[in-house]
Amino acid sequence: MKCCLWILYGLPLVQKDSILVTTSNGVGLVIEVIYLVVFFIYSDKNLQLERMEATGACLIVEIGVVIFFYGHTLLFLENVSARRKLIGVVCPVYTIIMHGLLALQTKVDGEQFRCMYLPFWFSFVNFINAGIWIAYSVIYKIDIYVLVVNVLGALACAIHLIILCCSAVRCLLLPKRVVPSSSVPVV
């Protein structure tokens, strides 16, 4: 849904000279569709029906929201600046909510932090991606909507990277446990 909304934001009917936003999110949308198809092909057949029902319901809601914003923006708003403001606010809000939901996956287990569902490389690549989009929104032309969402995304990824690094250092500094030989079963 995020990619669909950013595609709408980058269309010439909404935002002039943002073809890079449209093409990069179009590629992202194609990759997401391929991921969903591969996921359903290789998922466990017993759980596949439950997953398809839950994912199908989410997809129907998401498609409905996207159709609503496309229809409302392109049919009812005649002014380009009004379209830009509406979609320019909706896209960052949705993206920030998405980043926030991922940030809620950080848990404290005993003495260490764990970022569930967020491996190091995921946060690192997202941090680099946000930095590139920050540079784009500042150097090419000041696009406040792209700038705000990517500054917050870079900040969230930086926090995740710091938590992951602190957790790794803490694990390295903890004393190693020695398992007594009597507790090992003999086969």
Side-chain angles (χ1 to χ4, degrees):
M1 186 163 125
K2 178 185 82 77
C3 288
C4 291
L5 291 174
W6 280 107
I7 289 170
L8 176 61
Y9 177 77
L11 289 177
L13 297 171
V14 176
Q15 170 77 5
K16 304 290 186 204
D17 297 331
S18 286
I19 196 70
L20 184 61
V21 175
T22 302
T23 54
S24 64
N25 283 289
V27 170
L29 182 63
V30 169
I31 291 171
E32 289 174 9
V33 168
I34 291 170
Y35 173 80
L36 282 174
V37 168
V38 170
F39 175 76
F40 284 124
I41 289 173
Y42 290 106
S43 65
D44 185 15
K45 300 301 177 196
N46 296 331
L47 299 175
Q48 189 171 9
L49 185 60
E50 294 174 19
R51 288 180 182 163
M52 288 182 98
E53 289 175 356
T55 306
C58 289
L59 285 175
I60 289 172
V61 170
E62 287 182 359
I63 290 170
V65 170
V66 168
I67 289 172
F68 169 77
F69 279 112
Y70 270 74
H72 181 72
T73 303
L74 298 177
L75 296 176
F76 298 118
L77 296 176
E78 297 176 7
N79 190 355
V80 174
S81 67
R83 291 177 183 165
R84 181 175 184 260
K85 286 178 185 174
L86 174 69
I87 298 302
V89 169
V90 169
C91 289
V93 165
Y94 183 77
T95 306
I96 290 168
I97 289 171
M98 190 181 72
H99 283 296
L101 290 175
L102 286 175
L104 290 176
Q105 299 301 318
T106 304
K107 292 185 176 183
V108 179
D109 279 349
E111 294 182 1
Q112 70 177 5
F113 290 101
R114 284 190 312 143
C115 294
M116 304 199 43
Y117 312 116
L118 287 175
F120 173 80
W121 290 109
F122 180 81
S123 294
F124 181 71
V125 169
N126 277 333
F127 180 75
I128 298 297
N129 183 42
I132 291 169
W133 280 106
I134 289 169
Y136 164 78
S137 65
V138 172
I139 293 171
Y140 179 63
K141 62 177 181 171
I142 303 280
D143 190 346
I144 193 70
Y145 303 114
V146 175
L147 180 65
V148 166
V149 75
N150 284 297
V151 166
L152 292 174
L155 182 65
C157 290
I159 290 170
H160 288 194
L161 290 172
I162 290 169
I163 289 172
L164 286 170
C165 290
C166 290
S167 177
V169 167
R170 213 177 259 164
C171 286
L172 291 174
L173 295 177
L174 287 175
K176 304 295 183 225
R177 295 184 187 176
V178 178
V179 178
S181 61
S182 62
S183 65
V184 177
V186 178
V187 179

